[in-house]
Amino acid sequence: MTLLKVEGLDKVFGQHYALSGVGIEIEPGEVHALVGENGAGKSTFIKIMTGVYTLDAGTVEWKGAKVDIPSPAASRKIGINVVHQDRHLVPSFTGYENLFLGLDYPANKSRIGVNWKAMKRRAEQLKNDFGVEIDLNKTADRMSPPEKTMLEILRAMMLECQLLILDEPTASLTDQEAERLFALIGRLTAQGTAILYVSHRMDEIFRLSDRITVFRNGQKVATVVTETTDKDSLVRLMSNAEVKKSQKRSGKAQTGERALELNGLSTKDGMVRDVSLNVGKGEIVGIFGLAGAGRTELLEAIYGLRELKDGSIAIAGRRSNAPTPNRSLENGVVLIPEERKRDALILGMSIRENMTLPVLKRFSGRLKLRSRAERAEVAAWMQHMDVKAAGSEQPVGQLSGGNQQKVVFAKALLSNPVLFLCDEPTQAVDVMTREEIHRLLKTQADRGCGVLFVSSDLQEVLDISDRLYVLHDRRIVAELDNDGVTAEQVLGYCYSHGKGSGHHG
Amino acid sequence: MVEARAGIPYVKLIRTYGTVAAGILIILAFSLLSPDSFATIDNAINISRQISFLVMIALGATLVMSVGEFDLSVGAVASFGGVFAAKMAVAGYPIWLAFLAPIAVAFAIGFVNGWIVTRFRLLSFITTLAMGTILGGLNFRLTGGATVFENIPDGFRYLGQTEWAGIPVLSFIMLLLTLVFWYVMSHMAFGRKLYAVGGNESASRVAGVKVEKNKNMAFALCAVLAALTGILMASRLGSAHPTAGDGLFLSAYAAAFLGMTSFKEGVPNIWGTFVGAAIIGILANGLTILEVPTFMQDVITGCIVIAAVIMQKLGRGKA
């Protein structure tokens, strides 16, 4: 009998369909892979199956009977469990305590204390059943990444779990560590547990899965039997056929001079590895990569928010050793961070105070700030950027998202940049603002600025960049002149450099 | 949206000036209850001297609060300043050196406070609590636990006991410092950066503000103000006790929190702190004149701080 059968599933956020008419069937004991680009709807689907979101339309059948999944507890109760890439363990608890999180601890004779012996017996039995070797006396913060993953899977198996969802389970594992996970997956399926395996890594998908379902733009494109398909046809299914081929921008201000040049850049934390790239003056360069490829980290390393280990950075031909945000600003580098409220704005301060913070030096007299000059400049920029507000003294926390983003850009422009680093510049803004931001970036390039931007929206990258780099697993895997590039090509680079393709260190 | 946020004008007015209004009400109440002893020029001058120590130490607390931290060692630093200065004066060093040396040492202590907090990313709460404990111990080591009062030269008492044109020098110093720090916080780049760090550390860093350096400076200036407070207390009393300043620490934060409810809502600010300290001082003075026992004064002061903070929170919640 089919374990899970989903039909006609819709999920709507505001005006936007995150999922529309999605269906999937999962058999007991199979490994069913779920693939798709960023934003294809994989996470939303998982959240509906685990009771985090409720569905707006459609039916879910579990072992032939219609079910509702109104809460995470309900999903666990019928036998669906998920292991996320960011782990959900209590760091200071031992393995045993983490196993029993959210369950009733077995009580001892006094009915007040905990029966630790029974807990341990149960846990040891579970370990034996699945052949897992971990020391459950250790606290979770002292466990290695694979031990934590194993512990989470064990925890899922505490309650008769029949469908285990693994969301990018190998993201933080080395090859050998991943092998242990794959062996465990084998034992689970042998006992009849179905696995929904969500991953970007093609090698793993082809090695482990029985069938593959492809999502694209919130819709199911196809379910294919793994043996009958190959990587190329899968990438073709994933990439949006409607995406237009890119067209090259005139790039009139390009002079051949470099705004930015990176040579073999690596960070101490290993989030950026041996990256070499360049951005010309007057050029817009896009960086595309899947989630976790190290996109944000690369921009932060250039700007000076991450400690460097190796390599060099040159801004407009001048070498910049050990950059700090302060020095970067002096060299004309600005960063538009991804998390606007966290990293770009001080919500309690006024528009004026936010805009001029990076360039306070310019308004500093011998002792005091020259407030008349400051106010005049801020007023001019507010008009130029068409910021809708009650005045320059209004706290930015009271503005709409689009207007906040305009303040962020005005703040960047105030320091006369030669290089723009933009991290997801159009995330969570409406279409109008998005167009305005694209136009603004182009204007800056035409003025002779270099623009390096990161986006998880492939269409956006193909639309506005002159050249693009593909980032995978913290490295650059391809450089493409953006003239006639297709989405399929770009995604091909992302997926063909999976784990085990040779250069994993 | 913009209009709705601005709220009904009088709500904003109450939120901005409510604490000041409450202060005026308190003054009026005492003036009615005790017109002969409270509402006199002499008593006003008296109050200005009584609050001068609290204002000075609370200014320092305000600086540290503006970067989103706390310094719980201010009381011990004040005691330390008084003891150190008195010891030096007794030992025969020139008065100016006896005053400046503890201030320089306090600068270093504050800087170390800041450095530990920023370098190891510790809670300032715990770090400065420990620093205060260390200093408390050292204060006893310096004095042997006894009050330092013998052989203190006359010059040591000048700043604390002299009056200019009938007004205590202490009151002038208090006003001068308040003006200076108001200017620093509202008109200088340094003050803007402190507020930025307190508002959003991460965004300040991206905007090129040297977060650690500015925090360290805030801690250092706070300790300097605390030490100065202690020195002037010793000068006023003509003696220094190893725990003389300890009691000021709670009132300093009470004043700063009261201050956050006025002028710039929810943000530590210099004039707010001044008003907060004044309210606490006026209450103490008025209640003493009305012969209310000291312990009841503490109860009333505590209640007023809680009430003010709740009022402010409620006002905000509706906005």
Side-chain angles (χ1 to χ4, degrees), chain B residues 12 25 29-30 32 40 43 50 65 88 90 101 131 145 148 159 165 172 186 194 203 262 271 277 303 315 319:
Chain B
K12 190 172 165 60
L25 277 180
F30 281 132
L32 286 175
T40 62
N43 193 41
Q50 285 168 351
M65 278 170 69
M88 280 189 73
V90 171
M131 183 61 84
V148 183
L159 286 179
F172 283 114
S186 6
L194 293 188
S262 40
W271 283 114
C303 289

Short mmCIF file of all heavy atoms in Angstrom, two decimals, chain B residues 12 25 29-30 32 40 43 50 65 88 90 101 131 145 148 159 165 172 186 194 203 262 271 277 303 315 319:
data_model
loop_
_atom_site.label_atom_id
_atom_site.label_comp_id
_atom_site.label_asym_id
_atom_site.label_seq_id
_atom_site.Cartn_x
_atom_site.Cartn_y
_atom_site.Cartn_z
N LYS B 12 2.16 61.36 22.75
CA LYS B 12 3.58 61.53 22.55
C LYS B 12 4.15 62.53 23.56
O LYS B 12 5.23 62.35 24.11
CB LYS B 12 3.83 62.03 21.12
CG LYS B 12 5.30 62.03 20.73
CD LYS B 12 5.44 62.34 19.24
CE LYS B 12 6.86 62.71 18.89
NZ LYS B 12 7.85 61.66 19.17
N LEU B 25 5.33 67.91 39.56
CA LEU B 25 4.26 67.60 40.51
C LEU B 25 4.82 67.30 41.89
O LEU B 25 4.28 67.75 42.91
CB LEU B 25 3.45 66.39 40.02
CG LEU B 25 2.36 66.69 39.00
CD1 LEU B 25 1.63 65.40 38.61
CD2 LEU B 25 1.35 67.70 39.58
N ALA B 29 3.99 69.28 45.28
CA ALA B 29 3.42 68.59 46.44
C ALA B 29 4.22 68.91 47.69
O ALA B 29 3.66 69.28 48.73
CB ALA B 29 3.40 67.09 46.18
N PHE B 30 5.56 68.78 47.59
CA PHE B 30 6.39 69.08 48.75
C PHE B 30 6.26 70.55 49.15
O PHE B 30 6.28 70.89 50.34
CB PHE B 30 7.86 68.76 48.46
CG PHE B 30 8.18 67.29 48.56
CD1 PHE B 30 8.89 66.65 47.57
CD2 PHE B 30 7.78 66.56 49.67
CE1 PHE B 30 9.19 65.31 47.66
CE2 PHE B 30 8.08 65.21 49.78
CZ PHE B 30 8.78 64.57 48.77
N LEU B 32 3.69 72.44 48.91
CA LEU B 32 2.45 72.65 49.64
C LEU B 32 2.53 72.09 51.05
O LEU B 32 2.09 72.70 52.01
CB LEU B 32 1.28 71.99 48.89
CG LEU B 32 0.83 72.72 47.63
CD1 LEU B 32 -0.25 71.93 46.89
CD2 LEU B 32 0.30 74.12 47.99
N THR B 40 12.34 76.77 49.68
CA THR B 40 13.18 77.93 49.93
C THR B 40 14.39 77.88 49.03
O THR B 40 14.77 76.81 48.55
CB THR B 40 13.68 77.93 51.39
OG1 THR B 40 14.47 76.75 51.59
CG2 THR B 40 12.52 77.93 52.38
N ASN B 43 17.12 75.67 50.41
CA ASN B 43 16.93 74.23 50.22
C ASN B 43 17.20 73.83 48.77
O ASN B 43 17.75 72.76 48.51
CB ASN B 43 15.52 73.81 50.64
CG ASN B 43 15.41 72.30 50.75
OD1 ASN B 43 16.33 71.65 51.26
ND2 ASN B 43 14.32 71.76 50.25
N GLN B 50 23.24 68.08 47.03
CA GLN B 50 22.98 66.68 47.36
C GLN B 50 22.94 65.79 46.11
O GLN B 50 23.39 64.64 46.15
CB GLN B 50 21.65 66.54 48.11
CG GLN B 50 21.73 67.02 49.54
CD GLN B 50 20.36 67.14 50.19
OE1 GLN B 50 19.33 67.04 49.53
NE2 GLN B 50 20.34 67.40 51.49
N MET B 65 25.29 52.55 29.17
CA MET B 65 23.98 52.06 28.73
C MET B 65 23.72 52.43 27.27
O MET B 65 23.03 51.71 26.56
CB MET B 65 22.88 52.60 29.63
CG MET B 65 22.73 51.80 30.92
SD MET B 65 21.64 52.60 32.08
CE MET B 65 20.06 52.41 31.27
N MET B 88 46.80 59.53 48.86
CA MET B 88 47.87 60.28 48.23
C MET B 88 48.05 61.64 48.88
O MET B 88 49.17 62.10 49.11
CB MET B 88 47.60 60.45 46.72
CG MET B 88 47.98 59.20 45.93
SD MET B 88 47.91 59.45 44.16
CE MET B 88 49.33 60.48 43.88
N VAL B 90 47.27 62.47 51.95
CA VAL B 90 47.86 62.27 53.27
C VAL B 90 49.36 62.02 53.13
O VAL B 90 50.17 62.50 53.93
CB VAL B 90 47.18 61.09 54.00
CG1 VAL B 90 47.94 60.72 55.27
CG2 VAL B 90 45.73 61.44 54.30
N ALA B 101 45.70 61.34 39.57
CA ALA B 101 46.20 59.96 39.50
C ALA B 101 45.07 58.94 39.59
O ALA B 101 44.99 58.03 38.73
CB ALA B 101 47.23 59.73 40.61
N MET B 131 34.70 42.82 38.52
CA MET B 131 35.66 43.91 38.67
C MET B 131 35.34 44.72 39.93
O MET B 131 36.23 45.12 40.67
CB MET B 131 35.61 44.81 37.42
CG MET B 131 36.61 45.93 37.42
SD MET B 131 38.32 45.35 37.48
CE MET B 131 38.64 45.03 35.75
N GLY B 145 40.46 48.84 56.07
CA GLY B 145 39.06 48.81 56.48
C GLY B 145 38.62 50.05 57.23
O GLY B 145 37.44 50.23 57.52
N VAL B 148 39.81 56.93 56.10
CA VAL B 148 41.01 57.76 56.02
C VAL B 148 40.60 59.19 56.34
O VAL B 148 39.82 59.78 55.59
CB VAL B 148 41.60 57.71 54.58
CG1 VAL B 148 42.90 58.51 54.53
CG2 VAL B 148 41.82 56.27 54.14
N LEU B 159 37.37 71.79 46.75
CA LEU B 159 36.31 71.58 45.75
C LEU B 159 34.99 71.12 46.39
O LEU B 159 33.92 71.51 45.96
CB LEU B 159 36.76 70.56 44.70
CG LEU B 159 37.80 71.05 43.69
CD1 LEU B 159 38.16 69.92 42.73
CD2 LEU B 159 37.26 72.25 42.90
N ALA B 165 29.74 82.49 45.10
CA ALA B 165 28.52 83.30 45.05
C ALA B 165 27.35 82.58 45.70
O ALA B 165 26.24 82.56 45.19
CB ALA B 165 28.18 83.66 43.58
N PHE B 172 28.32 73.54 40.49
CA PHE B 172 28.87 74.02 39.21
C PHE B 172 29.48 72.87 38.42
O PHE B 172 29.26 72.75 37.22
CB PHE B 172 29.93 75.11 39.46
CG PHE B 172 29.35 76.44 39.80
CD1 PHE B 172 29.55 77.01 41.05
CD2 PHE B 172 28.61 77.14 38.86
CE1 PHE B 172 29.02 78.24 41.37
CE2 PHE B 172 28.07 78.38 39.16
CZ PHE B 172 28.28 78.94 40.43
N SER B 186 25.07 64.54 21.83
CA SER B 186 24.13 64.97 20.78
C SER B 186 24.78 65.74 19.65
O SER B 186 24.16 65.90 18.61
CB SER B 186 22.96 65.77 21.36
OG SER B 186 23.13 66.02 22.70
N LEU B 194 28.29 56.03 19.62
CA LEU B 194 27.87 55.26 20.80
C LEU B 194 26.41 54.83 20.66
O LEU B 194 26.08 53.67 20.88
CB LEU B 194 28.05 56.09 22.08
CG LEU B 194 29.46 56.43 22.52
CD1 LEU B 194 29.43 57.06 23.90
CD2 LEU B 194 30.37 55.22 22.52
N ALA B 203 24.93 46.26 12.48
CA ALA B 203 24.80 47.27 11.43
C ALA B 203 25.86 48.36 11.60
O ALA B 203 26.38 48.90 10.62
CB ALA B 203 23.40 47.89 11.45
N SER B 262 12.31 59.85 29.55
CA SER B 262 12.01 61.23 29.16
C SER B 262 12.88 61.69 28.00
O SER B 262 13.95 61.14 27.75
CB SER B 262 12.20 62.17 30.36
OG SER B 262 13.33 61.81 31.10
N TRP B 271 20.16 64.52 29.51
CA TRP B 271 19.23 65.36 30.28
C TRP B 271 18.21 64.50 31.00
O TRP B 271 17.78 64.83 32.11
CB TRP B 271 18.56 66.42 29.40
CG TRP B 271 19.49 67.55 29.12
CD1 TRP B 271 20.02 67.90 27.92
CD2 TRP B 271 20.06 68.46 30.08
NE1 TRP B 271 20.87 68.96 28.06
CE2 TRP B 271 20.92 69.33 29.37
CE3 TRP B 271 19.93 68.62 31.46
CZ2 TRP B 271 21.65 70.35 29.99
CZ3 TRP B 271 20.65 69.64 32.08
CH2 TRP B 271 21.50 70.49 31.34
N ALA B 277 17.99 61.79 38.19
CA ALA B 277 18.76 61.96 39.42
C ALA B 277 18.13 63.06 40.29
O ALA B 277 18.06 62.93 41.52
CB ALA B 277 20.21 62.31 39.09
N CYS B 303 9.50 52.25 43.99
CA CYS B 303 8.18 52.20 43.36
C CYS B 303 8.08 53.17 42.19
O CYS B 303 7.50 52.85 41.16
CB CYS B 303 7.09 52.53 44.39
SG CYS B 303 6.86 51.22 45.60
N GLY B 315 3.00 53.03 27.06
CA GLY B 315 2.87 54.07 26.04
C GLY B 315 3.37 53.59 24.70
O GLY B 315 2.77 53.82 23.67
N ALA B 319 1.58 52.44 20.64
CA ALA B 319 1.96 53.20 19.44
C ALA B 319 2.00 52.31 18.21
O ALA B 319 2.10 51.11 18.30
CB ALA B 319 3.32 53.85 19.65
#
